Structure formats: structure tokens, C-alpha cells
Amino acid sequence: MSEVIYFEDMAVGNGIEFGPLTISREEIIAFAREFDPQPFHLSDEGAAATHFGTLSSSGWHTTALSMKMMLAAWETKPGPRPAALGAIGVDELRWLNPVHAGDTLRGTSKVIEKKASRSRPEMGIVKSQVIMWNQHNEKVLSMVPIVMFRTRPA
């Protein structure tokens, strides 16, 4: 068995589960201070006058946590590692419900499409459907990352 999962090894329907991860108040505020300093991400008082009501995570933070959890799942899973070459974008990114301090997140990533590159035979493109839920089984995020994968060397 190969120590690497190449483009050719990816199949529509294959996927992984990732998480759980519990997000803390301190993490929400630290991320917001640096990257998204809107009042509803910085304090309960700032969120009280909004539809959030209480402190909520930035959607960008939730998205970054999905990446953290997916990579952690690959690192702890025995076996081959994907030959990912980076992403070229994300389609259909949606923040479906707010994420609050103390929420426990989990997710899935499932291959929905793949195609060989016409101009770069050393790689192929894989689209996956990523969905994250909180502890109440409410969807909090969905997106379709578009990732480049190495093809199997000749």
C-alpha cells in the first residue's frame, strides 16, 4: 500500500470525519482581536444589541477551525497521507448558525467531484463537501473546497 493518497486514489463518496473540538471564549476573543474585531466577536455586551445576543465566533474563525480539525484527523489516522498541493478556492461557503463559547464542533468532508488537470498532468482537482455541526446537531458551516492533489508518479 502506498504511503501517499494520490489523485488517482481519491473516489467520489470517500471522506473523513473530524473533531470534536470545543471552542473557548478566550479563543473566540483572541481570533477576533487579531482578524475580525467586530463587537459581537469581542464581548457579550457588544453582541447583546445584535441578533447574536451573546459572544459568537467569527465565521472566519469557524472556517479556520475546520481546517485545523481536518488536518488533526489526518495526523491521528494511521495509514497513508493525502498528496494535497493546496487549495485554489472555496465555493459555497456558508455560516449557517452562530458558534458560541463552549460549543463542541465536529465535521465531515466527502469527495463530490474530481477531474484531471488538462494543463498540468502532475495534478488533479478534487472538490469536497465539508459540513460542520455543533453539539446540538445544528449545521454551523458548509463549504466546497477545491484542492489540488499530486498524481501518481510514472
Side-chain angles (χ1 to χ4, degrees), residues 61-140:
H61 188 194
T62 304
T63 306
L65 290 173
S66 72
M67 189 70 198
K68 176 181 179 174
M69 293 181 346
M70 282 189 273
L71 289 175
W74 280 111
E75 289 173 6
T76 59
K77 179 181 173 186
R81 299 288 178 255
L85 296 169
I88 59 174
V90 175
D91 287 344
E92 303 172 36
L93 174 60
R94 301 291 183 270
W95 300 305
L96 303 166
N97 280 294
V99 172
H100 299 286
D103 280 355
T104 299
L105 306 175
R106 64 181 172 79
T108 59
S109 176
K110 183 170 83 170
V111 175
I112 58 171
E113 182 183 319
K114 63 179 269 191
K115 67 179 182 178
S117 172
R118 288 183 286 234
S119 62
R120 305 208 45 200
E122 72 277 10
M123 68 176 62
I125 307 299
V126 175
K127 288 185 178 183
S128 298
Q129 175 68 62
V130 173
I131 300 173
M132 286 177 47
W133 295 267
N134 65 19
Q135 70 276 11
H136 305 295
N137 290 323
E138 299 167 327
K139 287 183 183 178
V140 297

Side-chain angles (χ1 to χ4, degrees), residues 27-83:
E27 290 171 304
I28 290 171
I29 294 169
F31 185 94
R33 276 191 186 127
E34 188 163 356
F35 301 108
D36 193 357
Q38 297 182 74
F40 41 86
H41 298 320
L42 295 169
S43 71
D44 286 319
E45 297 76 26
T50 72
H51 65 284
F52 294 113
T54 62
L55 180 76
S56 67
S57 176
S58 166
W60 298 112
H61 188 194
T62 304
T63 306
L65 290 173
S66 72
M67 189 70 198
K68 176 181 179 174
M69 293 181 346
M70 282 189 273
L71 289 175
W74 280 111
E75 289 173 6
T76 59
K77 179 181 173 186
R81 299 288 178 255

